[in-house]
Amino acid sequence: MAALRICTPGGGAPEARRGSLAAAGSAVQHGPDLIGFSSWVLPISAGYAVDRRHAAAGGVAACHGLSCADSGRRKNHPRASLVNGVVSSLEDSSGGEPALCVSDSPEDASSSGKVLSDLRRDMVDGISGIPRISAGKKGMKFRKRGQGGNRLTPRSAPRRASGKSGQDQRILLSEDDIAAILSSVTHESSIEECNSVLIRLEKHSDKTALGFFEWMKANGKLKGNAEAYHLALQAIAWKEDWEAAGQLLHEMVADSGCALDAQAFNGLIYVCAKRRLVDWGTKWLHMMLERDVQPNVSTVGMLMGLYQRIGNLPEAEFTFAKMRKCGIKCVNAYSAMVTLYTRLGHFAKSEEVITLMNNDEVVPNMENWLVRLNAYCQQGKMEEAELVLKSLVDEGIALNVVAYNTVITGYGKVSDMQKAMEVFDRLKSAGLAPDETTYRSMIEGFGRADKYKQAILYYRKLRNSGFKPNASNFYTMINLLARHDDSEGATEILEDMRAAGCQCSSIVTVLVRAYGSVGRMHKVLQILKACFYKKILFDATSCSILVTGFVQNSLVEEAMRVLREKKWKDSDFEDNLYHILICSCKEAGCCDDAVRIYNQMPKSATHPNLRIYCSMIDVFSIMERFTDAEALYLELKASSCVLDMIAYSVIVRMYTKAGRPEDACLVLEDMEKQKEIVPDKYLFLDMLRTYQKCGLLEKLSDTYYWILKSQVELDEAMYNCIINCCGRAIPVDELSRIFDEMIQQGHLANTVTLNVLLDIYGKAGLFNKAEKVFLMARKQGMADIISYNTIIAAHAKNGDFRSMIYFVQRMQEAGFPVSLEAYNCMLDAYGKAGQLEEFAAVLQKMERAGCEFDHYTYNIMINIYGRKGWIEGVANVLAELKSRGGEPDLYSYNTLIKAYGIAGMPEDAVKLMQEMRIKGIAADRVTYTNLIAALQRNENFLEAVKWSLWMKQTGVAATRT
């Protein structure tokens, strides 16, 4: 708030006595930002400062009927002036309003007189469009705090109305007055006479003043005339024509030879401060500094007040630092910084500013004492707060109700209500009456301390004193009553909230939160039925808040009762409400409750709600009731409802959870027919996993390029999924490109991704890339036993025994035992290479390590012995396999058939085919190929032809051996 309030007891606004423009009195003082009371009730309020020019300039401001209330005592000064925030008497100065110099019009009008006459006519003609307020109109009323501090009483005084634009009130001049003023000016008039006219016109209308300013320019009245430029800049600022203001500043120096000073910029900054134009206010400050113009107290005071109101801490800190560097002492700037830091919770910095102020020897005013007090009280430093109170008393300043309220609030924050009550008693002992803020702070303090009876007592005192509780008091009381299970008291508070004009939905929200937080949600319906439950049934918003609260507290039956009794009709709102309730149950893991709610909701056979059905499909999937989930999907499909991307995503996941990826693929086919649907990242992931499970490499490839085309953002999960699923479906070069892109983007590949890359690179013979991937996996600690098995298998298949042995050793060094898979790779590699000694050595190592053979091990042995024609060895392997409870599989039979062919035993090979039929093992292409080759090798060509024809009849494609 402004520490000065502009007032003039008489009819038009008086002329300001000219004072030193260099004097730097703060024109804008802002009250403390305190919890529990507003900044407009400061204990210091002075009458009306006269003139916005002097407010902006920071000079001496004369006023009439200035009233000052200091420390609860008011003094009336018939005439006083404010210099740098100090009220001083003007009794010694000449009384009365200074008259403007007005001369008669010359009998022979010169050419310049004709120009002025035209200007006068244009101004008078344009008056009708200017907003006016009668000079004789009764002044607007403002509020003041009486000496007792208990009531805000009206005080009548004329003031400058800010209006929507924030511009000060004008002085009304009639057309005759303007004509008379303008006729008194000629080309020969002095600069002082022209300035007097400009001042008078500027009070009437900015447009009129700027028009006369242009006349002064045309007639050479602006040379060295800084005061005229100050007035013109102020008028342009009210129009917010900042470009013109910048040009006028340049013209002031370049054309008229005036020096820029703080007053020239203060007029611009004043308007910015009034209208909260923080960016422009900051721009003018920086322009001042760039042009080496020293700011004054007014500059700093206006900007710091603006930054405090807007909450712009960075600019406030910059301006504050610049102020101290320039040696300016503006008490309001210190107050603003303390207030900003306190409001943001930067209490240590607030105390630093207080220390700086003491070190800078700046004398605090009442406002500064209050913000200091607030800074300590907000952080619960009540010892320091009491010291501030003592300092106020030591300075001879009587404490007002605001100071007491601040301390009560502070003790309430630390839940020391004994001390708060002592302060309350001190307030009354000082002859002050508690106001609404006092009672509100006591209620909040007792509420925080969980003092139920005392809070009720002060709540009733508040009401009995004629004051009204605020929203915070209602919230505190409802929470207290909920904790202490006082349903009757809660009903009383709810009725008070209704009487205070609180909306029904807001009341229900507070009640639901309070009783839900203490586990007494079951009492809410009973409390509401005792007051305005019937009104809730007609209000859809209140109803939805109430039933949502019941569902979130697992009171589904109460929620269902409210929904059955509701009186409002809105099908769309009702559908949304049921959807919210179902989703709340699902998120809470109460799927059975979600099904109950769904079964009660009204349904449409022809127009099902897509969102609700999708949520229920998800709920049934969680409950593994896939039949019910599929039934809902089929209902959607049969209706006129068009499925969207979210619906398809839910249905695909349902089939995936049910272990039916083939059905999920059918759903995806239906989705692809709707060309307007573009999957999101999550649906693309589901598509890739589904197609991978079904082994649809072509679909994987198409989906991969669809992802690239759709420009979906690829994150770490997406990159890993693409490589895992599409690695074998896209070219190796493209796989390498997407992997390199992933690494460049800073994403990490997981173990599965690295193993897939190892496998693909190894099978493609890209061993350098495979080893780079393996080294990356080891460096990141991602290499597991599968990684070692994969790199060993790649080198074994390539016949690189040295690298194979190297990685087997690395596996052991990493703490992994040599796995069965690694042994099998070594057996297969040595066997196929004919290195039977190494083959036998590996078998011995496996036996010493206690490694049990699997089917693959036996098949390798059968294959190697068969190639050598060692039928006895093959028989021994088969016997050992059966002794361990195993039976030959398809691969075993294929290997045995080939071995019997090499050993010249085609009849035994045919017997194996018959054995396979008995055991229900279907022969594949390799089986028939090996059998035909065995018969041909032993010159049984006719039998080979028969088996070849049989193979064609069974639909198995033949291949050349």
Side-chain angles (χ1 to χ4, degrees):
M1 71 168 246
L4 292 177
R5 297 184 180 276
I6 303 172
C7 67
T8 53
E15 282 297 326
R17 191 179 73 124
R18 298 203 179 276
S20 172
L21 297 180
S26 176
V28 182
Q29 298 185 23
H30 303 280
D33 190 296
L34 303 179
I35 300 300
F37 57 91
S38 303
S39 60
W40 54 267
V41 285
L42 272 182
I44 297 178
S45 66
Y48 274 46
V50 289
D51 193 335
R52 69 168 181 249
R53 300 189 313 281
H54 292 281
V60 178
C63 63
H64 299 263
L66 180 72
S67 65
C68 176
D70 186 6
S71 307
R73 299 183 298 275
R74 293 192 177 275
K75 298 178 182 179
N76 291 325
H77 302 269
R79 287 186 57 79
S81 66
L82 184 71
V83 183
N84 292 336
V86 180
V87 179
S88 59
S89 174
L90 296 180
E91 294 298 331
D92 296 336
S93 61
S94 58
E97 293 182 11
L100 290 173
C101 297
V102 180
S103 60
D104 295 332
S105 302
E107 295 180 358
D108 52 341
S110 62
S111 59
S112 63
K114 183 177 184 302
V115 173
L116 184 58
S117 177
D118 294 339
L119 173 64
R120 178 171 63 250
R121 183 177 63 254
D122 293 341
M123 290 180 181
V124 173
D125 292 341
I127 289 176
S128 59
I130 300 173
R132 309 173 186 177
I133 301 178
S134 174
K137 185 177 178 180
K138 186 177 180 181
M140 301 298 289
K141 291 185 177 181
F142 70 100
R143 313 284 294 180
K144 71 172 184 177
R145 187 177 294 281
Q147 186 171 0
N150 58 336
R151 292 278 186 176
L152 291 177
T153 57
R155 175 181 175 87
S156 177
R159 64 182 178 86
R160 298 191 175 202
S162 59
K164 290 184 179 180
S165 65
Q167 185 167 342
D168 288 349
Q169 183 176 342
R170 299 297 187 179
I171 298 175
L172 177 65
L173 293 177
S174 67
E175 298 179 3
D176 293 338
D177 291 337
I178 294 179
I181 292 171
L182 293 176
S183 64
S184 67
V185 184
T186 66
H187 181 69
E188 288 79 16
S189 297
S190 66
I191 290 178
E192 289 75 12
E193 292 172 336
C194 293
N195 284 353
S196 297
V197 172
L198 183 60
I199 291 171
R200 193 73 175 270
L201 294 176
E202 191 267 343
K203 291 181 179 180
H204 166 69
S205 164
D206 293 329
K207 181 178 180 182
T208 307
L210 289 174
F212 183 72
F213 179 80
E214 291 298 325
W215 180 89
M216 292 177 65
K217 183 191 300 184
N219 288 273
K221 305 298 182 182
L222 298 182
K223 294 295 183 181
N225 189 357
E227 183 177 2
Y229 277 100
H230 295 163
L231 292 167
L233 285 167
Q234 179 83 66
I236 288 175
W238 286 118
K239 296 169 61 177
E240 298 187 26
D241 189 353
W242 307 119
E243 184 177 354
Q247 293 173 356
L248 197 61
L249 286 171
H250 176 74
E251 177 186 315
M252 180 179 176
V253 177
D255 297 344
S256 299
C258 300
L260 291 178
D261 58 3
Q263 187 177 352
F265 288 94
N266 284 356
L268 303 173
I269 293 174
Y270 175 74
V271 174
C272 295
K274 291 282 284 184
R275 296 183 177 175
R276 299 194 175 197
L277 305 175
V278 64
D279 292 336
W280 278 105
T282 303
K283 180 178 179 180
W284 295 124
L285 172 65
H286 287 289
M287 184 179 291
M288 288 180 70
L289 300 176
E290 290 170 2
R291 300 192 180 187
D292 296 325
V293 177
Q294 174 89 0
N296 59 20
V297 175
S298 291
T299 313
V300 176
M302 290 185 290
L303 284 171
M304 292 300 291
L306 173 62
Y307 296 145
Q308 176 187 328
R309 291 194 300 273
I310 300 299
N312 192 329
L313 180 60
E315 292 298 342
E317 290 177 327
F318 173 82
T319 306
F320 184 75
K322 186 61 65 176
M323 177 199 75
R324 297 188 69 243
K325 184 177 180 181
C326 295
I328 300 171
K329 296 182 178 181
C330 177
V331 65
N332 291 336
Y334 292 93
S335 299
M337 288 305 302
V338 174
T339 300
L340 277 171
Y341 282 134
T342 303
R343 187 187 301 164
L344 296 172
H346 301 164
F347 300 117
K349 291 188 176 181
S350 295
E351 296 185 33
E352 288 178 10
V353 174
I354 294 172
T355 303
L356 286 175
M357 184 174 176
N358 294 334
N359 295 339
D360 294 344
E361 298 181 350
V362 178
V363 179
N365 57 15
M366 186 61 182
E367 176 189 351
N368 189 264
W369 285 118
L370 289 176
V371 297
R372 290 186 181 199
L373 189 63
N374 186 51
Y376 291 125
C377 289
Q378 287 300 307
Q379 52 184 320
K381 291 187 174 182
M382 301 314 298
E383 293 182 4
E384 290 83 350
E386 291 286 0
L387 290 176
V388 173
L389 286 182
K390 184 177 182 302
S391 299
L392 277 166
V393 174
D394 293 343
E395 292 290 332
I397 303 173
L399 301 179
N400 58 21
V401 70
V402 177
Y404 284 112
N405 289 346
T406 307
V407 178
I408 290 172
T409 302
Y411 280 121
K413 280 185 170 291
V414 296
S415 299
D416 189 350
M417 293 312 297
Q418 183 64 37
K419 290 285 188 181
M421 292 180 68
E422 292 176 6
V423 176
F424 184 86
D425 293 337
R426 284 157 53 189
L427 180 151
K428 296 173 70 175
S429 300
L432 299 174
D435 63 3
E436 59 186 359
T437 302
T438 314
Y439 289 113
R440 288 173 178 175
S441 297
M442 293 296 288
I443 293 169
E444 295 302 310
F446 281 121
R448 187 176 287 108
D450 200 24
K451 303 291 185 181
Y452 166 62
K453 293 182 180 180
Q454 293 87 338
I456 288 287
L457 174 65
Y458 278 90
Y459 177 82
R460 288 173 179 161
K461 283 185 178 182
L462 171 71
R463 294 197 59 203
N464 295 336
S465 299
F467 301 122
K468 293 182 179 180
N470 59 14
S472 180
N473 296 150
F474 287 133
Y475 183 81
T476 299
M477 293 305 301
I478 288 293
N479 278 275
L480 263 178
L481 295 166
R483 287 198 294 271
H484 292 270
D485 196 15
D486 185 352
S487 298
E488 293 182 2
T491 302
E492 177 188 349
I493 300 297
L494 294 185
E495 292 292 356
D496 289 347
M497 293 176 74
R498 286 282 293 171
C502 296
Q503 291 185 353
C504 186
S505 57
S506 300
I507 298 174
V508 174
T509 299
V510 172
L511 186 67
V512 166
R513 288 180 179 174
Y515 276 81
S517 63
V518 295
R520 292 194 174 101
M521 190 67 193
H522 59 283
K523 296 289 187 73
V524 168
L525 201 56
Q526 174 189 349
I527 295 170
L528 289 174
K529 285 186 175 181
C531 46
F532 54 91
Y533 176 66
K534 292 182 179 179
K535 296 183 181 296
I536 293 175
L537 297 179
F538 286 91
D539 183 19
T541 304
S542 302
C543 235
S544 64
I545 295 169
L546 183 59
V547 298
T548 303
F550 282 138
V551 169
Q552 290 174 346
N553 287 271
S554 302
L555 299 173
V556 178
E557 188 59 40
E558 285 80 353
M560 296 296 98
R561 184 185 311 164
V562 174
L563 289 173
R564 285 193 298 267
E565 295 175 355
K566 70 178 181 62
K567 304 300 181 183
W568 52 270
K569 303 281 186 185
D570 188 337
S571 58
D572 291 338
F573 189 93
E574 189 173 9
D575 281 349
N576 289 333
L577 176 56
Y578 274 107
H579 184 222
I580 290 171
L581 298 179
I582 291 170
C583 290
S584 297
C585 293
K586 184 183 72 172
E587 291 171 3
C590 303
C591 294
D592 291 330
D593 290 339
V595 174
R596 289 176 60 194
I597 294 171
Y598 171 74
N599 290 335
Q600 177 174 311
M601 66 169 285
K603 303 177 183 65
S604 172
T606 56
H607 297 86
N609 186 288
L610 182 61
R611 297 279 75 81
I612 293 177
Y613 270 59
C614 288
S615 296
M616 286 309 302
I617 290 173
D618 204 14
V619 168
F620 284 132
S621 298
I622 294 171
M623 301 173 71
E624 296 186 358
R625 293 171 57 176
F626 300 112
T627 303
D628 295 326
E630 187 175 28
L632 292 180
Y633 164 55
L634 295 177
E635 284 184 35
L636 283 175
K637 196 173 182 182
S639 69
S640 59
C641 189
V642 179
L643 274 62
D644 60 7
M645 186 266 297
I646 295 175
Y648 280 114
S649 181
V650 170
I651 296 165
V652 167
R653 290 186 182 182
M654 179 266 291
Y655 279 123
T656 302
K657 288 180 181 178
R660 297 164 60 183
E662 295 82 6
D663 292 322
C665 290
L666 295 176
V667 174
L668 292 174
E669 286 182 13
D670 292 339
M671 182 196 72
E672 292 175 6
K673 294 175 183 177
Q674 299 185 35
K675 301 300 182 182
E676 69 278 5
I677 293 182
V678 177
D680 63 357
K681 178 180 68 175
Y682 303 101
L683 182 52
F684 271 128
L685 291 173
D686 290 335
M687 293 170 67
L688 292 175
R689 293 168 183 142
T690 301
Y691 291 143
Q692 184 192 35
K693 288 180 181 178
C694 295
L696 302 176
L697 297 182
E698 186 177 351
K699 283 288 186 181
L700 285 169
S701 177
D702 293 342
T703 304
Y704 167 73
Y705 289 109
W706 192 3
I707 291 172
L708 297 184
K709 184 179 179 181
S710 64
Q711 296 182 343
V712 173
E713 181 182 358
L714 301 182
D715 57 7
E716 188 170 300
M718 180 64 84
Y719 275 114
N720 280 294
C721 186
I722 286 174
I723 294 173
N724 295 343
C725 299
C726 303
R728 296 172 178 83
I730 59 177
V732 176
D733 292 341
E734 181 64 18
L735 178 65
S736 299
R737 186 198 68 79
I738 198 71
F739 177 66
D740 292 340
E741 180 182 299
M742 175 185 182
I743 300 303
Q744 290 172 3
Q745 293 291 332
H747 300 302
L748 294 176
N750 59 34
T751 301
V752 176
T753 300
L754 294 171
N755 290 342
V756 168
L757 288 167
L758 284 173
D759 183 57
I760 293 173
Y761 287 148
K763 290 178 178 177
L766 303 173
F767 298 106
N768 290 334
K769 289 188 175 182
E771 291 186 5
K772 287 181 180 178
V773 170
F774 183 81
L775 291 176
M776 179 187 296
R778 286 193 62 186
K779 184 177 180 181
Q780 297 176 357
M782 307 291 285
D784 60 1
I785 193 167
I786 298 176
S787 307
Y788 285 98
N789 289 339
T790 305
I791 193 72
I792 290 169
H795 286 295
K797 187 175 181 180
N798 189 48
D800 188 350
F801 302 117
R802 183 176 179 181
S803 298
M804 179 184 72
I805 296 299
Y806 171 80
F807 283 106
V808 170
Q809 293 173 350
R810 298 287 80 76
M811 172 188 275
Q812 292 174 308
E813 291 173 0
F816 297 109
V818 181
S819 63
L820 176 62
E821 290 76 10
Y823 279 125
N824 286 341
C825 290
M826 289 189 285
L827 283 175
D828 189 59
Y830 285 132
K832 289 179 178 178
Q835 298 186 17
L836 298 182
E837 292 182 3
E838 286 76 5
F839 181 88
V842 171
L843 286 175
Q844 291 176 1
K845 289 180 181 179
M846 292 176 70
E847 291 176 358
R848 286 197 299 268
C851 186
E852 294 187 1
F853 295 178
D854 62 359
H855 255 98
Y856 188 54
T857 311
Y858 289 114
N859 288 339
I860 292 172
M861 295 171 65
I862 291 171
N863 184 36
I864 299 304
Y865 294 156
R867 286 187 177 190
K868 295 294 183 178
W870 297 348
I871 299 302
E872 185 177 350
V874 170
N876 292 334
V877 172
L878 281 174
E880 184 177 348
L881 173 62
K882 292 180 181 180
S883 67
R884 295 191 179 185
E887 290 290 337
D889 57 6
L890 177 61
Y891 185 84
S892 304
Y893 280 112
N894 290 344
T895 305
L896 285 171
I897 290 171
K898 184 177 181 180
Y900 284 137
I902 294 173
M905 302 168 63
E907 295 82 3
D908 293 329
V910 173
K911 289 179 181 179
L912 288 175
M913 285 290 292
Q914 296 171 351
E915 185 178 328
M916 288 175 65
R917 288 180 187 174
I918 295 171
K919 292 183 178 181
I921 300 176
D924 63 357
R925 177 185 56 80
V926 177
T927 312
Y928 285 107
T929 301
N930 288 347
L931 179 60
I932 293 169
L935 293 171
Q936 290 176 343
R937 180 189 291 270
N938 291 278
E939 299 182 354
N940 292 332
F941 300 109
L942 181 60
E943 192 70 17
V945 171
K946 290 180 180 179
W947 280 105
S948 179
L949 294 173
W950 178 253
M951 180 176 64
K952 291 180 181 179
Q953 289 178 3
T954 57
V956 179
T959 57
R960 297 181 62 181
T961 59

